[in-house]
Amino acid sequence: MNTSTAATADEPPEPGHQRAYFDAIYAEQDDPYGVRTRWYERRKREMLLAALPRPRFRRAYEPGCGAAALSLSLAERCDELWCSDFHPRAVATATSLLGHLPHVRVEQRSLPQEWPQDGRFDLVVLSEVSYFLTPDDVHAMAERCNASLNADGVLVACDWRPDFAGRRCPTDEVHRLLDGLGLHRLLRHEEDDFLLQVWQRSPHSVAQAEGIR
């Protein structure tokens, strides 16, 4: 999700008005950030996918799936994929794109309160979602995420860096809170536009995991 188009909104949404913010950006189209059409988004998505330390995962969770462009790619590398979004139009879009895939589950959930309590995952992808939450909610979500990661779990966070009207938590603060979970950082890729990090429970590099060194 590229949040650059959201900067045209007049005022940042207060906690009680987050739904109105998304109602406004989804009012005219189901892909308000152009994630399925912009080269910036495609390049970022391919970098995220290339950063994953394994070619395949058993069960993955992608909250805040939005227009589901990343979800489609993740579905190709997961035996089971759970996707969620709090906004009904995003859920409808994701369902229309992913509904033909029997191993993909799409639900309407709000973060962090409705984090799936019955889910255990070996991959969690937080892509362009965390900065819409308050720092307290990011912290709560991070704790829920950590609790749901399997022993070989991988956590990915990718976030837009410039400020914009919908932001409620700085990207650097989001990643600081996630870094505080105590997982082993596998990768940090930083550009002016976005920050991508990958953590895992295992201390081994990709080469070590394959017995190369």
Side-chain angles (χ1 to χ4, degrees), residues 126 130 138-139 141-143 145-146 155-159 171-183 197 199:
L126 304 174
S130 303
V138 174
H139 177 74
M141 181 180 69
E143 293 296 326
C145 176
N146 195 26
L155 171 64
V156 179
C158 186
D159 294 288
T171 285
D172 286 350
E173 177 66 6
V174 167
H175 284 245
R176 186 190 70 79
L177 291 167
L178 295 173
D179 205 34
L181 292 175
L183 302 173
Q197 294 201 84
W199 301 267

Side-chain angles (χ1 to χ4, degrees), residues 8-9 15 35 51 53-54 61 66 75 91 105-106 115 150 153 162 171 196 213:
T8 59
V35 298
R54 302 201 296 273
Y61 182 39
V91 173
R105 173 175 176 177
V106 180
W115 189 273
N150 287 326
T171 285
L196 168 65
R213 69 179 184 91

Side-chain angles (χ1 to χ4, degrees), residues 7-85:
T8 59
D10 292 332
E11 295 292 339
E14 293 302 319
H17 298 88
Q18 200 75 337
R19 173 59 183 267
Y21 170 79
F22 283 97
D23 284 347
I25 65 170
Y26 277 113
E28 297 183 359
Q29 57 177 313
D30 61 8
D31 185 12
Y33 301 109
V35 298
R36 297 196 296 266
T37 58
R38 290 177 172 167
W39 167 245
Y40 165 81
E41 293 291 348
R42 177 183 170 187
R43 172 181 176 268
K44 181 187 64 177
R45 185 162 57 247
E46 291 179 354
M47 293 178 72
L48 187 157
L49 293 165
L52 297 178
R54 302 201 296 273
R56 193 154 191 89
F57 295 84
R58 298 182 303 278
R59 176 187 278 184
Y61 182 39
E62 184 200 3
C65 62
L70 177 59
S71 311
L72 282 169
S73 296
L74 290 173
E76 297 177 357
R77 296 178 60 175
C78 300
D79 297 333
E80 185 179 354
L81 174 64
W82 290 18
C83 303
S84 70
D85 203 287

Side-chain angles (χ1 to χ4, degrees), residues 59 61 63 82 84 105 107-121 124 140-150:
R59 176 187 278 184
Y61 182 39
W82 290 18
S84 70
R105 173 175 176 177
E107 299 178 323
Q108 184 170 347
R109 291 178 179 268
S110 296
L111 297 175
Q113 297 83 358
E114 295 179 336
W115 189 273
Q117 298 300 310
D118 57 343
R120 297 287 295 178
F121 308 102
V124 174
M141 181 180 69
E143 293 296 326
R144 288 167 171 80
C145 176
N146 195 26
S148 67
L149 277 178
N150 287 326

Side-chain angles (χ1 to χ4, degrees), residues 11 85 111 154 184 188 202:
E11 295 292 339
D85 203 287
L111 297 175
V154 174
H184 298 277
R188 178 184 173 98
S202 171

